[in-house]
Amino acid sequence: DVLGTIGTSIPIHYTTLEPILPQPTVDRLEEDCISIVRDKVTTELIQVLDEEERRWAQTLYIEEYQSHLARSVIQRLKVDLDRSTSVNQFLGARVARCCLIGLADFLFNFQKKVEMFHDTQAEFGDRGDGYVSRTIALVNCCPPLRTFVERCRQCDPQGSEETAQRANSSLDRLISQSVRVLTDRLFEHIRPFFDKLMKRKWLNNTEAFEAIEASIKQHFRKFKRMDPPPYQTLVGEVHRRVLVEYVRAVMRGRIICTSSKMRKRMAFRLQDEAKQLKGLFRDLESSASWLDSTICHLADIILLEDTPSIQMEVAVLVKEFPDIRKKHVSTLLNVRGMTRQAERQEILNVVKDFECSSALICRERALFADIPITSEVHCISLGLMRLAMTVSNWFSEHRPRRRRRTSARNAAPQTAETTEDTSKLHREE
C-alpha cells in the first residue's frame, strides 16, 4: 500500500540489495547445514531401521501388521529438503544429493534385513498369516520411498542419477524377493492339483481345476492388501506361473489321443478352462493379458484335422511365443496322436526358422522357456505309439467276444477259487 501510494507521484527505481551476510559466512552456514543433514541420514535412519527390525520379532503373529517405516524416513528427510530448496536452488541440490546418498545406503541395508528375515522364517518354517501380512507391509513401503527418491533426483539432476539407480535397485530386489515368497507360498498349496490335470479322469472331473481356482482366490483376498505397482508385479507373476504349470501338465503327455472324438473332448476341456483362467486373472487385475491365448492355441492344434490348418495355428503360436521350441510342438503332436512322420515334419518345419531367435526374447514375455520337456516324453517312439494304438483297438474289438465264447464253452458252476481268479483278471484288465 505504501509503495503504491508513493508510486503515483514519484517513480520508484528497484535495485538488487546487497547480501546481508558476507559470502564466507553464507558458505560456512551451508556447510553446517549439509553436515547436519549428513549426520541425520547416517544416524537417525539407522535407528529407525533397527526399531523396525525389533518390531518384526515382537509382532510376529499379528495378522494385521502395518509398517510406518516409509513415512518415518520420508518425514525426517523432507523437512530439510523443503527448507533448503526454499533458500536457493543450489543449496537444495546439495541437500537433495546428501539425502539421496544416505537414503540409498539405508535402502540397501533395509533390503538386506528383509532378506535375512525371509531366510530366518524359511529356516524355522514359520509362514503363518502374520508372515504374509508382514511381507505385504514391507513391500508397501517401496512405492512412497521410490517417489521420494525420484523427487531428490529431480532436485539434483546432474549429480544424483547413479545414486538414484542404486536406491531403486534395492527397492526392485526387495519387491522381487517378496513377490517370489508370496508366489511360492501360493504354489505350495496348488501344485499338487496340477499333477491331477491331463489324466483320463480329468476329462470328466473338474475337481482339480476348481481347487486351483478356489485356492488362488483365497490367497488373493490377502494379497490384495499390497499396493500398486508391486501388486501388478505379483499378480502378473502368479498369472505367468499358473500358465507355465498348466502347459507343463499338457506337455507331460499323460493323455495320448487315439481318436478324433478324444481329441475333441480334450480340446473342448482345454478351451473351457482357458476361458475360466482368463476371467479369474481379469478379476484380479492382471496386466499379463498376453498369456490368455496360450491354452486356446494348444487346444486348436489338438482339435484341427488337416495339416495346413495345424501349420497356420503353429505359426501363430510361434509368433506370439517366440521362446517355444521344436520339441514343445513335437510333444504336442504326440499328445494329439499324430504319428505320420511326413505330416509331423511339415508342421515342425514351421518352428525351425524361429529357433535361432532366442537372443531376442524378452524375459518378461517368456513362457515356454520355463517348460522343459522330460526325456520320457521327448523321446517317445512313434513306432511304439502306433503299436499301442493298434493293440488298444484290437483289444476293444476282440476281447469282449472272446470272453463270451469262453463263457459259453465252460458254462459250468464255478468254484470259489475260480470266481476269485476271474474277478482278479477283470480288475487287472
Side-chain angles (χ1 to χ4, degrees):
D1 291 341
V2 173
L3 291 176
T5 303
I6 298 174
T8 57
S9 57
I10 302 173
I12 300 176
H13 300 285
Y14 296 95
T15 59
T16 303
L17 298 175
E18 294 294 328
I20 298 177
L21 298 175
Q23 191 59 40
T25 304
V26 174
D27 294 340
R28 180 172 55 79
L29 289 173
E30 289 185 356
E31 291 298 331
D32 291 344
C33 175
I34 297 299
S35 178
I36 292 171
V37 174
R38 186 180 295 112
D39 290 341
K40 178 178 291 188
V41 298
T42 56
T43 57
E44 290 190 19
L45 295 190
I46 291 176
Q47 294 174 1
V48 170
L49 185 56
D50 289 342
E51 292 173 2
E52 177 71 13
E53 188 177 21
R54 283 193 293 271
R55 288 186 65 214
W56 298 346
Q58 295 169 358
T59 59
L60 192 59
Y61 299 100
I62 297 179
E63 183 176 352
E64 300 297 330
Y65 179 84
Q66 294 183 349
S67 175
H68 305 290
L69 177 69
R71 184 173 62 186
S72 180
V73 169
I74 293 172
Q75 284 178 345
R76 281 169 163 78
L77 301 180
K78 187 175 180 295
V79 173
D80 297 317
L81 185 60
D82 290 343
R83 290 177 178 176
S84 61
T85 304
S86 65
V87 174
N88 61 65
Q89 185 177 356
F90 177 73
L91 179 61
R94 293 187 65 189
V95 171
R97 186 181 308 174
C98 184
C99 287
L100 193 52
I101 291 173
L103 186 58
D105 293 337
F106 166 81
L107 291 177
F108 177 79
N109 293 328
F110 178 41
Q111 185 262 325
K112 289 299 181 182
K113 286 184 180 293
V114 172
E115 191 175 276
M116 292 174 58
F117 169 74
H118 287 306
D119 291 342
T120 301
Q121 298 304 306
E123 180 180 353
F124 290 100
D126 191 358
R127 293 175 175 252
D129 293 333
Y131 176 69
V132 173
S133 296
R134 184 166 291 94
T135 301
I136 293 174
L138 295 177
V139 173
N140 286 344
C141 293
C142 295
L145 288 170
R146 195 186 297 276
T147 300
F148 190 74
V149 166
E150 179 60 21
R151 185 191 168 186
C152 292
R153 189 195 67 80
Q154 291 178 354
C155 291
D156 182 34
Q158 300 300 323
S160 296
E161 188 68 33
E162 183 177 347
T163 309
Q165 290 179 0
R166 185 161 63 92
N168 285 322
S169 178
S170 296
L171 292 172
D172 292 339
R173 287 194 295 269
L174 193 152
I175 293 172
S176 177
Q177 182 186 30
S178 300
V179 166
R180 184 173 64 254
V181 164
L182 295 177
T183 304
D184 288 345
R185 177 181 175 84
L186 168 61
F187 273 82
E188 287 175 3
H189 291 80
I190 66 176
R191 186 173 286 109
F193 297 108
F194 281 103
D195 293 334
K196 299 180 180 180
L197 300 180
M198 311 307 156
K199 297 181 179 180
R200 287 186 176 271
K201 184 179 180 181
W202 163 80
L203 289 172
N204 300 310
N205 192 313
T206 61
E207 290 182 4
F209 182 82
E210 289 174 352
I212 293 172
E213 191 176 21
S215 185
I216 292 173
K217 291 179 179 179
Q218 179 183 357
H219 279 77
F220 268 90
R221 291 190 186 100
K222 298 176 183 177
F223 291 172
K224 279 193 172 182
R225 300 173 189 170
M226 186 180 293
D227 295 334
Y231 173 79
Q232 276 69 37
T233 303
L234 172 64
V235 70
E237 178 60 14
V238 171
H239 193 173
R240 190 189 69 83
R241 285 187 59 176
V242 166
L243 266 294
V244 165
E245 292 298 325
Y246 192 96
V247 176
R248 190 198 302 270
V250 176
M251 294 293 177
R252 284 176 180 169
R254 292 180 293 199
I255 291 182
I256 302 295
C257 299
T258 56
S259 65
S260 175
K261 181 180 178 181
M262 190 172 181
R263 285 197 296 271
K264 289 180 180 179
R265 288 180 63 194
M266 183 174 184
F268 292 157
R269 185 65 191 277
L270 289 173
Q271 290 172 350
D272 182 59
E273 293 185 352
K275 183 178 180 181
Q276 293 182 62
L277 287 175
K278 180 179 179 180
L280 170 64
F281 285 103
R282 183 182 60 243
D283 294 341
L284 296 178
E285 302 176 9
S286 171
S287 58
S289 58
W290 60 277
L291 293 163
D292 293 335
S293 63
T294 312
I295 302 174
C296 292
H297 288 315
L298 303 184
D300 289 341
I301 292 172
I302 293 173
L303 179 64
L304 294 171
E305 294 292 341
D306 59 298
T307 301
S309 297
I310 298 175
Q311 283 180 301
M312 291 181 62
E313 193 62 36
V314 169
V316 173
L317 180 64
V318 173
K319 184 177 180 180
E320 292 188 14
F321 301 93
D323 62 329
I324 194 170
R325 289 295 171 259
K326 188 176 178 179
K327 61 184 180 181
H328 294 114
V329 179
S330 178
T331 301
L332 191 59
L333 297 181
N334 293 343
V335 171
R336 84 179 302 280
M338 178 175 281
T339 59
R340 295 186 181 89
Q341 187 61 32
E343 294 178 353
R344 290 174 64 93
Q345 195 57 48
E346 289 181 25
I347 296 170
L348 294 176
N349 285 338
V350 176
V351 193
K352 187 176 180 181
D353 296 336
F354 291 87
E355 292 214 327
C356 298
S357 62
S358 58
L360 303 177
I361 298 173
C362 175
R363 177 60 192 166
E364 295 179 355
R365 299 293 293 267
L367 177 68
F368 287 89
D370 292 331
I371 305 174
I373 301 299
T374 59
S375 57
E376 56 184 288
V377 174
H378 185 247
C379 298
I380 286 180
S381 168
L382 296 181
L384 290 176
M385 286 178 60
R386 294 191 190 98
L387 178 61
M389 294 169 67
T390 303
V391 171
S392 176
N393 291 334
W394 186 90
F395 270 98
S396 63
E397 292 176 3
H398 296 85
R399 174 162 286 192
R401 290 196 297 273
R402 181 183 178 187
R403 192 161 50 239
R404 286 195 297 272
R405 286 198 301 271
T406 303
S407 176
R409 197 165 49 244
N410 300 316
Q414 291 181 324
T415 64
E417 181 178 356
T418 58
T419 302
E420 182 180 353
D421 291 342
T422 303
S423 300
K424 181 179 179 181
L425 175 60
H426 288 172
R427 286 197 301 272
E428 291 175 351
E429 291 173 353

